[in-house]
Amino acid sequence: MNERDYNQEGNNQGEGTLQPSPSSPASLPNDLPRTRPVTRAAKPTRHRPSREPRHAMANQPASQRTNNFDEVALGYTLEQATAEAQRCLQCRNAPCESGCPVEVRIKDFIAAMIGNDLPAGVAALKERNALPAVCGRVCPQENQCEAKCVLAKRGEPVAIGRLERFLADWDRSRPENERNMTKLQSCKHKRVAVIGSGPAGLACAGELSLRGYHVEVFEALHAPGGVLAYGIPEFRLPNDILEDEVAALRKSRVTLHMNAPIGALASCEELLEEGFQAVFIGVGAGLPRFMDIPGENLNGVYSANEFLTRVNLMHAHEFPSWDTPVQRGRKVVVVGGGNVAMDAARTALRLGAEEVTLAYRRTQAEMPARDEEIEHAIEEGVKLLELAAPLEVVGEDGWATGLRLQKMELGRADASGRRRPIPREGEEYTHPCDTVVSAIGTLAHPHLREVADVEVNEWGYLAVGEDGQTSNPRIFAGGDIVTGAATVIEAMGAGKSAAIAIDEMLDASGSH
Ligand code: FAD
Ligand code: SF4
């Protein structure tokens, strides 16, 4: 292969029609910006930050959106995005970037927006984030980059996530030949296997492909994306956004194998024997944690994973056009207070439930879900039942008819820093319902033992060093299967740093 830098186009087999990279001056078809500026963009000349308040983003009205699965948040217009970018102070040290697990070049992409150079903004944004349209929608920015923005001290940080979403969507709207193509390094003729196509696996595959590796991703399900595809509903993350960002990966040196469960087909050790030089495991932690209470086996009781997968991945809401059934409960109780619980409750509403209640053992203030998600759920009509812990699913003729709950009160803070819920003796009651969805967390799947013979920690997650290396030096891991349930961008950060470590290891070993 030619040693110059190339973008590959048009297939997912690793080799393809080669196009000169936009970074090669002789080949520039137009005035597209360089994809990887070496230096930090200069502060926009005469930039006087605007003192306007943070710009709100339009949403579908609550009364309308519970009748459809269309995206709730509608995104900024160009005018709103430009006005929001103008609020950025362009701080010398950009503290916002240290709050982002992949250190997106926030200051630079905003500087480009201030200077009306959207292509340069896209290039700066995509340099460190392979899934910006996804992250702009689902990252908990309020706890990450936006929490570090100096304007957060006044309670109004720059809306970094919304700007990221705007730029990524703007890039998607461009004709294919004008879109930002990330520069691939010359081919190293080495193969790496990635197990799982969630954010950790995709980020690892993207980074390795960029660094010159042929990457084969093995995914157990029929569609790529992990939780992004089967967990997060379309009204928060439309499937076409994910498909578009995965399609960009397919155009690099990444091959995706669907319906390919590793462990059943082959182990990671066998993949190494077959000629892969390294393996990355990003299989997530998708085993539902059950409530472990009587009546949990009654009809009408779901884990949030199953409930959401039936709708998001298997189109149960389009039954009978699609042949996946799901119970369309009239009165639904969702147990939990995290993002997963909000997604399940809002999905139940869209399936036509008359009443959806969230039962949570602490209060709204302690709920781990994003504030925005809680607000959206309440606006849509989801009721909160605070200080309520499940005791038993009661039923008749094999079907759930109610959830018996224990009234709780808050005691002292526990190890998580949140006040511990304590049962109030003798205060039990039954909440009538026909559907119960349990959203109380997930665990590592026991099939991990068949995937790879490497060390696990006391909770059953993979034990890794700082760079994601497991007890087998050629097997790396990252994402939820290492940390337990976390966030999309943390999984991506882990996938990316493991890719860098794999590259360094293979370069150092001169492996063929
Ligand atoms: P996953 O996304 O779980 O992907 C793992 C993939 O590996 C899956 O596709 C799985 O099928 C595949 N796999 C498993 N075993 C095998 C095998 N043996 N062989 C081949 N493939 C295999 N985070 C946020 O930041 N913001 C949110 O708003 C948010 N909302 C969420 C909503 C829901 C409903 C859920 C469940 C999670 C949410 N999260 C959110 C958390 C976030 O999605 C996860 O932290 C993240 O997806 C973890 O990424 P991962 O790549 O480690 O694993
Ligand atoms: Fe702009 Fe805030 Fe980042 Fe400073 S911290 S560069 S104001 S986004």
Side-chain angles (χ1 to χ4, degrees), residues 35-106:
T35 51
R36 285 198 161 215
V38 195
T39 51
R40 193 170 265 294
K43 195 169 183 164
T45 45
R46 291 191 300 279
H47 171 56
R48 290 207 177 80
S50 102
R51 290 169 174 256
E52 286 179 21
R54 182 174 155 112
H55 294 81
M57 182 167 61
N59 290 320
Q60 252 199 90
S63 57
Q64 182 183 319
R65 67 189 190 231
T66 48
N67 298 317
N68 64 57
F69 279 80
D70 297 343
E71 193 169 14
V72 168
L74 301 176
Y76 277 155
T77 61
L78 174 62
E79 291 69 30
Q80 287 170 324
T82 309
E84 183 61 25
Q86 296 282 354
R87 294 182 61 235
C88 176
L89 306 177
Q90 289 290 293
C91 309
R92 187 187 297 267
N93 57 349
C96 49
E97 294 180 9
S98 67
C100 169
V102 296
E103 294 188 13
V104 164
R105 291 171 50 207
I106 296 168

Side-chain angles (χ1 to χ4, degrees), residues 138 140 195-201 218-221 226-227 230-232 236 260-262 282-284 308 339-340 343 447 451 479-480 486-488 491:
V138 305
I195 320 303
S197 68
F218 297 88
E219 166 56 53
L221 297 174
V227 169
Y230 75 76
I232 302 182
R236 282 214 293 132
I262 295 305
V283 294
L308 290 170
N339 285 323
V340 183
D343 284 343
H447 83 220
V451 173
D480 284 6
T487 65
V488 170

Side-chain angles (χ1 to χ4, degrees), residues 125-146:
L125 173 61
K126 287 196 162 177
E127 185 184 307
R128 296 195 184 153
N129 186 350
L131 307 174
V134 170
C135 292
R137 285 170 166 80
V138 305
C139 273
Q141 290 103 6
E142 62 280 11
N143 302 325
Q144 295 176 329
C145 53
E146 291 181 13

Side-chain angles (χ1 to χ4, degrees), residues 133-184:
V134 170
C135 292
R137 285 170 166 80
V138 305
C139 273
Q141 290 103 6
E142 62 280 11
N143 302 325
Q144 295 176 329
C145 53
E146 291 181 13
K148 300 271 173 138
C149 172
V150 291
L151 297 179
K153 290 184 192 126
R154 284 196 257 135
E156 296 239 289
V158 174
I160 299 168
R162 293 173 187 173
L163 293 180
E164 184 174 16
R165 169 189 167 139
F166 171 83
L167 259 189
D169 287 356
W170 176 81
D171 188 44
R172 290 176 61 242
S173 72
R174 290 200 284 170
E176 185 76 16
N177 62 344
E178 288 176 22
R179 288 181 62 178
N180 179 262
M181 301 281 284
T182 314
K183 190 177 79 176
L184 299 182

